[in-house]
Amino acid sequence: MLSFLHWRALPDSLKRVIGDVDGMGTDLAVFLFIADLLVLRDGGCLVLVLPLANAHEAANGSAVIQGSKGSL
């Protein structure tokens, strides 16, 4: 379960937004708890991570897909 992990080291980019990881005021612990609930309810959860350089593209309707099916 993601919300029960103990973070040893977080990247600086995440440390800067730890209290607002989704741009809507959700802190990291709450965000991961909600992801856990979705996995338990639906059997999976998609978490999309956009690089800062491409964040403006998301507003235009495009997204960057990283990883593959079945990877965490």
Side-chain angles (χ1 to χ4, degrees):
M1 308 273 302
L2 295 173
S3 60
F4 293 107
L5 293 176
H6 295 283
W7 301 105
R8 293 183 184 178
L10 295 173
D12 289 336
S13 58
L14 185 54
K15 287 179 186 177
R16 287 191 298 269
V17 297
I18 200 162
D20 185 14
V21 295
D22 61 358
M24 296 171 52
T26 307
D27 113 330
L28 180 62
V30 172
F31 182 85
L32 294 176
F33 179 75
I34 292 168
D36 287 342
L37 292 177
L38 291 172
V39 170
L40 291 171
R41 184 189 75 182
D42 301 333
C45 176
L46 174 66
V47 177
L48 179 65
V49 179
L50 296 174
L52 292 177
N54 293 333
H56 68 280
E57 292 178 6
N60 296 330
S62 63
V64 177
I65 299 174
Q66 297 179 344
S68 61
K69 185 177 180 182
S71 64
L72 293 178

